[in-house]
Amino acid sequence: LVDRRGRDREQTAVYLDVSGSMDDYLPWLYSALRAEAARLSPEVHLFSNRVVSVRLAALAAGLRDSTGGTDLDCVLAHALARPVRRILVVTDGWVGTPRRDLVDRARRARLALSVLLTPGGMRQDLAPLAFRIEELPALHPVSRR
């Protein structure tokens, strides 16, 4: 969330993959995003094959609006239609190859796209567009005594 190029005053728009393959991670991610509220835009953009914007506070209720699949094109189109410069895409990476025209527009707009991948996530579709890709550590089951 902190821009390494020194533009830390800008808030980051978060696009969170809520497709079925993310189920195990969503409770953890929702909690982490709420904890970083000061650095984020007040809305989080949930995506699968479409983008649904929700208030950050709504994540406390576990809100999830998903079409099941995953598509990066809807994220790029949504971000390009707004006055955002920095976005964080949280996903397992299975987002499909983005449309060339959207990639070109994102580059011309100097959209700084960072990616936070789940462990072992696929980088291939995101690498040509992302300026930074980080991977989450593996989740460990919580011991219940």
Side-chain angles (χ1 to χ4, degrees):
L1 298 175
V2 176
D3 189 328
R4 292 181 181 167
R5 294 175 293 184
R7 296 187 323 198
D8 292 337
R9 288 182 298 255
E10 293 181 40
Q11 290 182 321
T12 300
V14 174
Y15 288 83
L16 178 59
D17 181 348
V18 291
S19 63
S21 59
M22 294 288 291
D23 283 350
D24 290 344
Y25 295 93
L26 290 179
W28 299 96
L29 292 169
Y30 281 14
S31 179
L33 289 173
R34 286 191 320 270
E36 290 295 325
R39 295 181 191 224
L40 303 175
S41 296
E43 288 186 323
V44 174
H45 309 292
L46 309 179
F47 78 96
S48 49
N49 293 107
R50 64 185 171 142
V51 175
V52 176
S53 299
V54 300
R55 301 291 296 172
L56 190 57
L59 296 183
L63 179 67
R64 178 179 171 196
D65 192 331
S66 175
T67 58
T70 318
D71 185 354
L72 189 63
D73 288 344
C74 66
V75 170
L76 293 176
H78 189 271
L80 289 166
R82 281 153 182 72
V84 298
R85 298 276 317 256
R86 292 175 24 182
I87 69 172
L88 172 66
V89 177
V90 184
T91 182
D92 58 8
W94 297 95
V95 295
T97 303
R99 286 185 359 220
R100 170 53 64 209
D101 64 310
L102 290 172
V103 171
D104 290 344
R105 284 180 54 209
R107 286 186 177 140
R108 281 194 307 274
R110 302 182 80 195
L111 183 66
L113 187 145
S114 296
V115 177
L116 183 58
L117 280 179
T118 57
M122 190 175 89
R123 296 169 182 257
Q124 179 180 330
D125 294 336
L126 296 158
L129 188 56
F131 98 88
R132 183 168 89 198
I133 298 177
E134 302 286 339
E135 191 169 315
L136 288 166
L139 286 179
H140 298 288
V142 176
S143 166
R144 299 187 193 262
R145 293 182 182 175

